[in-house]
Amino acid sequence: MKLLTHNMLTSKCMKAVTVGYPLAINASDVRVSEVDFNPDFIAKIIPKVDWAVLWNAAESIGQLEGLPKEIVENYENDQDFLKKAHHVLLEVDVINGELICPETGRKFPINNGIPNLLLNEDEV
Amino acid sequence: MSRPEHLAPPEIFYNENEARKYTQNSRIMDIQMQMSERAVELLLLPEDEPCFLLDIGCGSGLSGSVLEDQGHFWVGMDISTAMLDIALEREVEGDVLLTDMGQGCPFRAGTFDGAISISALQWLCNADKTTHKPVQRLYKFFSSLYACLSRSARAVFQFYPENSEQMELVTAQAMKAGFYGGVVVDYPNSTKAKKFFLVLMTGGNVPLPKGLGSAEETQGVSYISKREQIKKARGKPLKKSRDWILEKKERRRRQMKDVRADSKYTGRKRSGRF
């Protein structure tokens, strides 16, 4: 699971949860793989990303690699910043571990890079 | 036609054997690709701009590869682990999640620029467990999907409705969740090539695109022109036409009757004064 996906995921589908964001990551296996750099897409997706959540998630799995804590001004033209954002958003992959709902503490296992978000019948 | 959704729930039906077909059977792969391409076409995404899309019921990621080829980034959700394992094997670029669409889309508001779904929606119309209520599950799915799409985004679902009631059920729940849109039918006159696409829009009511291969001209027009051609071929001009009048006058002349001379006024309508 990429951190871009994690940045969008919530657990609000559960019955008792109102916001369910952000999910905490408890990673046991993290892999970094190379993905083609597409500056247009990164510049387009940054306004949608919750930057503080991304930064905390990257820090919690030790993949910060110099990512600034705030979005820099005029980031569309800052190649260096876009490359760092690209690395954290798309190249870092959580292979095994779990996601934890901030409200109920429900754990969603991540196996082989696929988060299992299936809910039991009493949770819907 | 057999309906897999009548045999078993999706997480059971799409086992290793069934999932394997999606990497080996070139006919299945071909059809999936074609439908995905048509679905992307119906999404009307801005040109030459990478978008962030959701693939609902992504399975082995065949539809995802079509999105990749067009330069988009995607996230997929599916309920079958066997199918998702195949997606990993194929090394698709998008992330895949194991979720049940009837439990809702677990994303933040306004995440995606669009959503596609190939041959998945009909599974939602079945109650596979005693706790499943299709209407509620459809509504939960559509309302959570509406929330996670950005405004002016579209969602296109290729699906196989069992009958018109099912189509109505699905459309009604989508409208209730706030979507505009309806069903586009490609090749409506063919049993085999006929395909249903549910096109849902979030921002305002825009006219639906036309289905492929639907007849443009009405049959009545071609029927009349055909009848006239046949009449001409028989050698008799249409009654009350100028040709018919000229022919009649000619015949009466041959019978040595008193006939007025032909002029440019022959066979013309009288003006309103008479």
Side-chain angles (χ1 to χ4, degrees):
Chain A
M1 182 197 62
K2 297 176 174 62
L3 289 187
L4 173 61
T5 313
H6 166 261
N7 208 280
M8 304 301 174
L9 273 184
T10 72
S11 59
K12 68 177 173 198
C13 292
M14 287 170 71
K15 198 165 41 179
V17 173
T18 48
V19 183
Y21 186 81
L23 300 169
I25 306 178
N26 183 3
S28 56
D29 186 7
V30 177
R31 204 178 297 160
V32 177
S33 52
E34 209 161 291
V35 177
D36 291 338
F37 178 50
N38 185 337
D40 293 342
F41 178 69
I42 302 295
K44 196 184 160 193
I45 204 78
I46 280 178
K48 282 189 188 176
V49 170
D50 189 326
W51 196 259
V53 170
L54 177 71
W55 196 87
N56 288 333
E59 196 197 21
S60 74
I61 57 171
Q63 291 291 335
L64 217 43
E65 313 226 346
L67 188 77
K69 203 162 183 175
E70 305 276 323
I71 301 177
V72 299
E73 262 178 62
N74 203 2
Y75 58 83
E76 294 96 333
N77 305 319
D78 191 338
Q79 283 291 317
D80 191 42
F81 175 78
L82 289 180
K83 275 211 173 112
K84 276 179 190 157
H86 163 78
H87 170 77
V88 174
L89 282 171
L90 296 175
E91 294 190 326
V92 175
D93 243 326
V94 180
I95 304 296
N96 289 310
E98 51 195 15
L99 294 169
I100 303 157
C101 168
E103 290 175 38
T104 59
R106 162 79 145 91
K107 288 175 179 161
F108 300 101
I110 305 173
N111 298 315
N112 219 354
I114 305 176
N116 179 348
L117 298 165
L118 290 177
L119 302 172
N120 296 330
E121 271 136 41
D122 55 336
E123 291 170 323
V124 188
Chain B
M1 196 172 88
S2 72
R3 289 199 154 258
E5 62 268 27
H6 288 175
L7 301 177
E11 62 272 33
I12 309 230
F13 177 80
Y14 288 108
N15 53 16
E16 271 83 18
N17 271 337
E18 196 65 28
R20 191 56 56 192
K21 287 184 191 167
Y22 283 78
T23 51
Q24 290 173 344
N25 187 329
S26 60
R27 198 184 93 85
I28 288 184
M29 288 165 73
D30 236 32
I31 293 176
Q32 292 271 323
M33 290 282 202
Q34 277 171 19
M35 294 193 297
S36 315
E37 273 163 18
R38 174 70 176 142
V40 177
E41 195 182 304
L42 288 171
L43 269 185
L44 284 185
L45 295 168
E47 263 175 57
D48 301 326
E49 206 177 288
C51 293
F52 195 42
L53 305 175
L54 176 64
D55 187 349
I56 301 148
C58 60
S60 57
L62 283 169
S63 40
S65 332
V66 172
L67 299 178
E68 277 162 33
D69 289 345
Q70 306 199 6
H72 301 303
F73 290 76
W74 60 281
V75 171
M77 44 192 271
D78 205 290
I79 197 171
S80 157
T81 29
M83 291 292 269
L84 292 179
D85 286 342
I86 299 283
L88 285 189
E89 221 173 88
R90 294 182 64 241
E91 296 185 336
V92 291
E93 278 176 32
D95 253 343
V96 288
L97 311 171
L98 182 64
T99 57
D100 179 358
M101 62 199 278
Q103 294 178 347
C105 305
F107 299 100
R108 268 201 301 149
T111 299
F112 297 104
D113 304 316
I116 67 163
S117 162
I118 307 298
S119 320
L121 198 56
Q122 70 272 7
W123 288 96
L124 212 49
C125 299
N126 272 31
D128 295 318
K129 293 177 188 152
T130 45
T131 49
H132 281 187
K133 296 187 180 69
V135 176
Q136 278 177 16
R137 280 163 60 79
L138 277 167
Y139 179 68
K140 172 113 196 189
F141 168 67
F142 282 124
S143 53
S144 62
L145 176 69
Y146 187 89
C148 76
L149 290 177
S150 63
R151 293 303 83 119
S152 84
R154 285 180 171 214
V156 177
F157 300 81
Q158 183 278 321
F159 72 125
Y160 297 104
E162 207 174 328
N163 45 39
S164 55
E165 285 92 60
Q166 201 177 66
M167 201 144 75
E168 209 165 280
L169 172 81
V170 169
T171 322
Q173 292 309 313
M175 301 299 138
K176 204 176 146 199
F179 282 109
Y180 294 93
V183 177
V184 175
V185 186
D186 276 2
Y187 308 108
N189 300 321
S190 156
T191 328
K192 257 191 171 172
K194 191 193 238 174
K195 291 281 175 302
F196 293 89
F197 289 89
L198 179 64
V199 180
L200 299 178
M201 292 166 272
T202 52
N205 205 355
V206 186
L208 276 180
K210 263 215 154 81
L212 295 178
S214 49
E216 290 285 309
E217 59 193 51
T218 54
Q219 289 194 318
V221 171
S222 66
Y223 171 72
I224 286 175
S225 69
K226 201 173 175 188
R227 195 173 62 167
E228 278 184 13
Q229 274 173 3
I230 289 173
K231 276 217 164 148
K232 258 186 199 151
R234 243 196 282 155
K236 271 190 186 171
L238 210 61
K239 225 170 193 179
K240 299 278 173 74
S241 68
R242 186 180 150 87
D243 289 338
W244 176 78
I245 293 170
L246 289 175
E247 205 183 276
K248 193 171 174 182
K249 285 170 94 175
E250 193 54 44
R251 193 164 60 243
R252 289 176 78 86
R253 266 185 217 115
R254 272 189 260 120
Q255 291 167 348
M256 308 297 276
K257 285 180 177 154
D258 191 20
V259 180
R260 293 280 179 139
D262 295 340
S263 76
K264 63 176 181 180
Y265 300 108
T266 310
R268 276 206 194 171
K269 281 243 161 57
R270 285 185 194 279
S271 73
R273 275 180 309 227
F274 287 95

